[in-house]
CSV table of all heavy atoms in Angstrom, one decimal:
chain,number,residue,atom,x,y,z
A,144,HIS,N,4.4,68.6,-53.9
A,144,HIS,CA,5.4,67.6,-53.4
A,144,HIS,C,5.2,66.2,-54.0
A,144,HIS,O,5.2,65.2,-53.3
A,144,HIS,CB,5.4,67.5,-51.9
A,144,HIS,CG,5.6,68.9,-51.3
A,144,HIS,ND1,6.8,69.6,-51.4
A,144,HIS,CD2,4.8,69.7,-50.6
A,144,HIS,CE1,6.7,70.8,-50.8
A,144,HIS,NE2,5.5,70.8,-50.3
A,145,ALA,N,4.9,66.2,-55.3
A,145,ALA,CA,4.4,65.0,-55.9
A,145,ALA,C,5.5,63.9,-55.8
A,145,ALA,O,5.1,62.7,-55.6
A,145,ALA,CB,4.1,65.3,-57.4
A,146,VAL,N,6.7,64.2,-56.0
A,146,VAL,CA,7.8,63.1,-56.0
A,146,VAL,C,7.9,62.6,-54.6
A,146,VAL,O,8.0,61.4,-54.4
A,146,VAL,CB,9.1,63.7,-56.6
A,146,VAL,CG1,10.1,62.6,-56.6
A,146,VAL,CG2,8.9,64.3,-58.0
A,147,ARG,N,8.0,63.5,-53.7
A,147,ARG,CA,8.1,63.1,-52.2
A,147,ARG,C,6.9,62.3,-51.8
A,147,ARG,O,7.1,61.2,-51.2
A,147,ARG,CB,8.2,64.4,-51.4
A,147,ARG,CG,8.6,64.1,-49.9
A,147,ARG,CD,8.4,65.5,-49.2
A,147,ARG,NE,9.2,66.5,-49.8
A,147,ARG,CZ,9.1,67.8,-49.5
A,147,ARG,NH1,8.3,68.2,-48.5
A,147,ARG,NH2,9.8,68.7,-50.1
A,148,ASP,N,5.7,62.7,-52.2
A,148,ASP,CA,4.5,62.0,-51.8
A,148,ASP,C,4.5,60.6,-52.4
A,148,ASP,O,4.0,59.6,-51.8
A,148,ASP,CB,3.3,62.8,-52.2
A,148,ASP,CG,3.2,64.1,-51.4
A,148,ASP,OD1,3.9,64.3,-50.4
A,148,ASP,OD2,2.4,65.0,-51.9
A,149,ALA,N,4.9,60.5,-53.7
A,149,ALA,CA,4.9,59.1,-54.3
A,149,ALA,C,5.9,58.2,-53.6
A,149,ALA,O,5.6,57.0,-53.4
A,149,ALA,CB,5.3,59.3,-55.8
A,150,LEU,N,7.1,58.7,-53.3
A,150,LEU,CA,8.1,57.9,-52.6
A,150,LEU,C,7.5,57.5,-51.2
A,150,LEU,O,7.6,56.3,-50.8
A,150,LEU,CB,9.3,58.7,-52.3
A,150,LEU,CG,10.4,58.6,-53.4
A,150,LEU,CD1,11.6,59.5,-53.0
A,150,LEU,CD2,10.9,57.2,-53.6
A,151,ALA,N,6.9,58.4,-50.5
A,151,ALA,CA,6.4,58.1,-49.2
A,151,ALA,C,5.2,57.1,-49.2
A,151,ALA,O,5.1,56.3,-48.3
A,151,ALA,CB,5.9,59.4,-48.5
A,152,TYR,N,4.5,57.1,-50.3
A,152,TYR,CA,3.4,56.2,-50.5
A,152,TYR,C,3.9,54.8,-50.8
A,152,TYR,O,3.2,53.8,-50.6
A,152,TYR,CB,2.4,56.6,-51.6
A,152,TYR,CG,1.1,56.0,-51.5
A,152,TYR,CD1,0.1,56.5,-50.8
A,152,TYR,CD2,0.8,54.8,-52.3
A,152,TYR,CE1,-1.2,55.9,-50.7
A,152,TYR,CE2,-0.4,54.2,-52.3
A,152,TYR,CZ,-1.4,54.7,-51.5
A,152,TYR,OH,-2.6,54.1,-51.4
A,153,GLY,N,5.1,54.7,-51.4
A,153,GLY,CA,5.7,53.4,-51.7
A,153,GLY,C,5.3,52.9,-53.0
A,153,GLY,O,5.4,51.7,-53.3
A,154,VAL,N,4.9,53.8,-54.0
A,154,VAL,CA,4.6,53.2,-55.3
A,154,VAL,C,5.8,52.7,-56.0
A,154,VAL,O,6.9,53.1,-55.7
A,154,VAL,CB,3.9,54.4,-56.2
A,154,VAL,CG1,2.6,54.8,-55.6
A,154,VAL,CG2,4.9,55.5,-56.4
A,155,LYS,N,5.6,51.8,-56.9
A,155,LYS,CA,6.7,51.2,-57.6
A,155,LYS,C,6.9,51.9,-59.0
A,155,LYS,O,8.0,51.7,-59.6
A,155,LYS,CB,6.4,49.7,-57.9
A,155,LYS,CG,6.2,48.9,-56.6
A,155,LYS,CD,7.4,48.9,-55.7
A,155,LYS,CE,7.2,48.0,-54.5
A,155,LYS,NZ,8.1,48.4,-53.4
A,156,VAL,N,5.9,52.6,-59.4
A,156,VAL,CA,5.9,53.3,-60.7
A,156,VAL,C,5.3,54.7,-60.5
A,156,VAL,O,4.3,54.8,-59.9
A,156,VAL,CB,5.2,52.6,-61.8
A,156,VAL,CG1,5.2,53.4,-63.1
A,156,VAL,CG2,5.7,51.2,-62.1
A,157,THR,N,6.0,55.7,-60.9
A,157,THR,CA,5.4,57.0,-61.0
A,157,THR,C,5.7,57.6,-62.4
A,157,THR,O,5.8,56.8,-63.3
A,157,THR,CB,5.9,57.9,-59.8
A,157,THR,OG1,5.2,59.2,-59.9
A,157,THR,CG2,7.4,58.1,-59.8
A,158,GLY,N,5.8,58.9,-62.5
A,158,GLY,CA,6.1,59.4,-63.8
A,158,GLY,C,5.8,60.9,-64.0
A,158,GLY,O,5.9,61.6,-63.0
A,159,CYS,N,5.4,61.3,-65.1
A,159,CYS,CA,5.0,62.7,-65.4
A,159,CYS,C,3.8,62.8,-66.2
A,159,CYS,O,3.4,61.8,-67.0
A,159,CYS,CB,6.2,63.5,-66.0
A,159,CYS,SG,6.6,62.9,-67.6
A,160,THR,N,3.1,63.9,-66.1
A,160,THR,CA,1.9,64.2,-66.9
A,160,THR,C,2.0,65.6,-67.5
A,160,THR,O,2.3,66.6,-66.8
A,160,THR,CB,0.7,64.2,-66.0
A,160,THR,OG1,0.6,62.9,-65.3
A,160,THR,CG2,-0.6,64.4,-66.8
A,161,VAL,N,1.8,65.7,-68.8
A,161,VAL,CA,1.7,67.0,-69.4
A,161,VAL,C,0.2,67.2,-69.8
A,161,VAL,O,-0.4,66.4,-70.5
A,161,VAL,CB,2.6,67.1,-70.7
A,161,VAL,CG1,2.4,68.5,-71.3
A,161,VAL,CG2,4.1,66.9,-70.3
A,162,HIS,N,-0.4,68.3,-69.2
A,162,HIS,CA,-1.8,68.4,-69.4
A,162,HIS,C,-2.2,69.9,-69.6
A,162,HIS,O,-1.4,70.8,-69.3
A,162,HIS,CB,-2.5,67.9,-68.1
A,162,HIS,CG,-2.2,68.7,-66.9
A,162,HIS,ND1,-3.0,69.7,-66.4
A,162,HIS,CD2,-1.2,68.6,-66.0
A,162,HIS,CE1,-2.5,70.2,-65.3
A,162,HIS,NE2,-1.4,69.6,-65.0
A,163,LEU,N,-3.4,70.0,-70.2
A,163,LEU,CA,-4.0,71.4,-70.3
A,163,LEU,C,-4.4,71.9,-69.0
A,163,LEU,O,-4.8,71.1,-68.1
A,163,LEU,CB,-5.1,71.3,-71.3
A,163,LEU,CG,-4.8,71.0,-72.7
A,163,LEU,CD1,-6.1,70.7,-73.5
A,163,LEU,CD2,-4.0,72.2,-73.4
Side-chain angles (χ1 to χ4, degrees):
H144 305 292
V146 181
R147 190 186 309 171
D148 293 347
L150 270 178
Y152 197 88
V154 296
K155 304 297 184 201
V156 176
T157 183
C159 65
T160 303
V161 179
H162 65 95
L163 292 167

